[in-house]
Amino acid sequence: MATDPLAPLLALADISPAVERARERVDAAMRHRALRRHGGQVAAEVSLRSAVASAALEGYAHDRESVRAGTVTDPVIQGALRVAGALPGLSERWSKAPRQVLARLHVLAARDAVPADELGRPVADPVVGARLDALAGLVAGGTTAPPLVLAAVVHGELLNLRPFAGPSGLVARGAARLVLMSTGFDPRGLVGVDVGHREREPEYVGAAGAFATGTPDGLRSWLRHYLAAVELGADQLTAVGDEVLAAA
């Protein structure tokens, strides 16, 4: 029987308890009263905040209320909004055809930001292609690791590879959210993980660089950051829920 390639990650110091803590924080947030009658409103607000955070992580920070009002025409924030809006419709396809979904995410993310003939096309590098294939194999059932661990690996690997031209970080963050949605961990996309990354941006950048080293310490650093961002994303869900109830 083939060894699960992600199994060693759960043996890294503190990672298994951190996975459990993040899962418990998300479970608690998912019980918010606002989700009973206002789930769609909460999901839309989390989607907006996630898009604004993802664009900011790509170097294009904009005021959230200006984005909400539709006055920001910057192509990167528009791409982030398109990616966020498309995730629910891509969730079912993700584990069946991850390479195709990644290409679609790039088309959504990079329209008007890169030449049309580069949209949806990974860079022509055999090493990048092989690693994308390996990543797709994990997504398609090649691991039994918890969804949070798989999402962290997908995110970190795509940030490291930068397989697409332009704002490929939008693709990495969208793909990580798809892991959580498609596995049933966060089926409605309610956990604002990207908001958590934005709140801890220096750590996000440093941990992503550590992940790229491939060392146990580097992988542990990234996993710890990712799980902390998930907890912040759960807190964001609670905050949005409170705001929705207060305005109801």
Side-chain angles (χ1 to χ4, degrees):
M1 182 179 294
T3 301
D4 188 326
L6 300 190
L9 298 180
L10 290 168
L12 295 172
D14 303 327
I15 295 305
S16 288
V19 169
E20 185 63 19
R21 283 195 307 272
R23 187 191 62 77
E24 290 175 353
R25 185 80 69 92
V26 169
D27 286 348
M30 292 286 188
R31 293 192 289 269
H32 199 287
R33 289 189 302 118
L35 297 177
R36 298 174 191 169
R37 294 188 177 183
H38 308 285
Q41 186 178 348
V42 172
E45 181 64 21
V46 170
S47 180
L48 171 68
R49 296 185 184 194
S50 296
V52 170
S54 188
L57 289 166
E58 205 69 8
Y60 296 83
H62 295 283
D63 174 69
R64 186 171 72 223
E65 296 310 312
S66 297
V67 175
R68 189 193 310 278
T71 60
V72 180
T73 59
D74 167 59
V76 174
I77 187 63
Q78 292 301 317
L81 290 167
R82 285 191 296 267
V83 167
L87 294 181
L90 294 172
S91 177
E92 187 175 342
R93 290 174 51 200
W94 172 238
S95 63
K96 300 174 184 175
R99 289 290 297 262
Q100 292 179 19
V101 174
L102 286 174
R104 179 60 182 161
L105 288 176
H106 184 243
V107 170
L108 294 166
R111 188 192 310 163
D112 302 323
V114 303
D117 61 357
E118 295 182 12
L119 292 174
R121 297 178 179 274
V123 298
D125 182 323
V127 174
V128 171
R131 289 178 66 172
L132 279 179
D133 285 341
L135 195 64
L138 290 175
V139 170
T143 180
T144 59
L148 287 173
V149 172
L150 177 58
V153 169
V154 166
H155 191 155
E157 184 73 344
L158 289 172
L159 281 181
N160 179 30
L161 290 178
R162 298 196 69 83
F164 298 100
S168 63
L170 300 184
V171 176
R173 289 181 285 277
R177 292 189 68 200
L178 278 176
V179 172
L180 301 183
M181 294 170 73
S182 66
T183 57
F185 181 87
D186 178 23
R188 291 188 285 174
L190 296 171
V191 182
V193 186
D194 295 342
V195 177
H197 294 313
R198 173 63 170 163
E199 289 186 13
R200 303 177 70 141
E201 185 171 4
E203 180 184 275
Y204 175 76
V205 173
F211 176 91
T213 67
T215 65
D217 284 346
L219 296 172
R220 178 175 176 269
S221 175
W222 172 250
L223 287 167
R224 284 172 58 86
H225 163 78
Y226 186 86
L227 295 166
V230 169
E231 292 195 44
L232 290 172
D235 293 345
Q236 184 71 191
L237 170 56
T238 299
V240 170
D242 289 345
E243 291 173 15
V244 168
L245 284 183

